């Protein structure tokens, strides 16, 4: 499917890099388990019944188990209170066999608008494998050792392992979220890129974006980044993951003969990135969706868990 959509640009395969990351973790997990007398442990809390979260958490648990990391999954119903979430986080923080703590987003809306931030604030920074605690955010900004969020860390791995130079290059990040855009900009800056962050109020976005040698799109709007956003030969990283169910909209983006229409037929939806398929004719390198950034996010969660386990001993 992706091969036709990324016809001219080199395809940056996230699955291959994720597999390499997982392989590199195996001896470290074996060493840790032998010396600690137990495997690294990840505590996961899933509150509510969001369908997407169920799938993400299932994939995270499977990925842990496949590698020999012990996943301790705790569940709460959608009507649970924030106090109940906090009690489970406190239990994970205190448990010696738990090295990483992950609270799946989003929390049920009934818990209040700032519930997630309160929960991230409560996670022990030494176990904060998502990198959302303010201590780790501060360390990241200061370029000190930190547990950094998985998606932008995975993108750095993808660039470096594909030999794409960062130092001295112009990078434009579209999106300024705490989980992708801002940490992405910090990680690129620390590798000596000249970084611009864009968002919904940016004027003349295509003109700014097309100055980039490395363009990261983390917006959540299918096909938003069209060829006029892209400097010829640029590396384009597509973080967006939008589920599309409307055949006509998908056909308008990818063409009537796109295999994605059959995916909708079979699975009810196709996952579409922020980057328009026409960008493949202009970019030098491009991540597919699916199969680009997504697999790296989980691989970096595993990597952070192993790192946290090693650091705690
Ligand atoms: P978010 O918190 O919704 O942030 C989206 C950002 O895009 C905001 O900064 C917003 O600007 C900006 N934006 C929205 N419309 C825009 C426009 N028309 N022009 C310029 N900027 C615009 O999203 P997120 O959590 O960062 O996620 C972004 C996408 O990445 C989503 O599709 C998400 O599903 C996906 N994602 C994928 C992975 C993965 O593993 N593959 C991981 C995380 C996220 P303002 O700040 O001005 O509103």
């Amino acid at each position: 499917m992706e091969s036709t959509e990324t016809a001219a640009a080199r395809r940056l395969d996230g699955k291959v890099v994720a597999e390499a990351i997982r392989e590199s973790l195996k001896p470290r997990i074996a060493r840790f388990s032998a010396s600690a007398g137990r495997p690294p442990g990840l505590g996961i809390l899933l509150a509510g019944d969001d369908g997407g979260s169920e799938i993400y958490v299932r994939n995270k648990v499977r990925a842990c188990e496949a590698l020999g990391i012990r996943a301790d999954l705790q569940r709460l119903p959608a009507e649970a209170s924030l106090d109940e979430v906090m009690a489970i986080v406190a239990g994970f923080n205190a448990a010696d066999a738990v090295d990483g703590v992950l609270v799946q987003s989003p929390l049920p809306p009934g818990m209040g608008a700032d519930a997630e931030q309160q929960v991230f604030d409560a996670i022990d920074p030494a176990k904060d494998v998502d990198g959302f605690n303010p201590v780790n955010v501060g360390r990241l900004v200061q370029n000190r050792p930190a547990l950094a969020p998985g998606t932008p860390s995975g993108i750095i791995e993808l660039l470096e392992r594909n030999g794409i130079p960062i130092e001295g290059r112009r990078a434009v990040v579209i999106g300024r979220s705490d989980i992708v855009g801002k940490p992405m900009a910090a990680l690129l800056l620390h590798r000596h890129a000249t970084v611009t962050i864009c968002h919904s109020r940016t004027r003349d976005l295509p003109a700014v974006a097309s100055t980039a040698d490395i363009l990261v799109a983390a917006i959540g709007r299918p096909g938003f980044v069209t060829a006029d956003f892209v400097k010829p030969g640029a590396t384009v990283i597509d973080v967006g993951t939008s589920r599309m169910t409307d055949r006509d909209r998908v056909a308008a983006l990818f063409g009537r003969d796109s295999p994605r229409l059959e995916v909708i037929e079979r699975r009810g939806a196709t996952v579409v990135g922020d980057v328009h398929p026409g960008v493949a004719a202009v970019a030098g390198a491009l991540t597919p969706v699916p199969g680009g950034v997504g697999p790296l996010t989980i691989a970096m969660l595993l990597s952070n868990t192993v790192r946290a386990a090693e650091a705690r001993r």
Side-chain angles (χ1 to χ4, degrees), residues 5 8 11 13 31 34 41 59 68 89 101 122 128 142 144 149 163 167 175 184-185 208 257 269 286 289 291 294:
E5 289 166 16
R11 182 178 187 274
D13 192 328
R31 261 199 309 278
N59 290 340
V89 168
V101 178
D128 172 36
Q142 292 180 330
R144 295 161 65 189
E167 183 173 337
M184 183 80 259
V208 180
D257 55 352
L286 175 60
V289 176

Side-chain angles (χ1 to χ4, degrees), residues 172-175 196-212 215-217 219 221 224-226 228-230:
V172 173
V173 180
I174 312 180
T196 303
I197 307 178
C198 299
H199 45 77
S200 65
R201 319 282 170 90
T202 299
R203 288 193 199 162
D204 205 359
L205 186 56
V208 180
S210 61
T211 64
L215 178 62
V216 181
I219 311 162
R221 291 179 167 230
F224 181 84
V225 172
T226 44
D228 56 323
F229 284 61
V230 178

Side-chain angles (χ1 to χ4, degrees), residues 269-300:
T270 179
V271 178
V272 176
D274 290 337
V275 175
H276 191 278
V279 166
V282 184
L286 175 60
T287 57
V289 176
V293 173
L296 294 165
T297 301
I298 291 194
M300 294 313 291

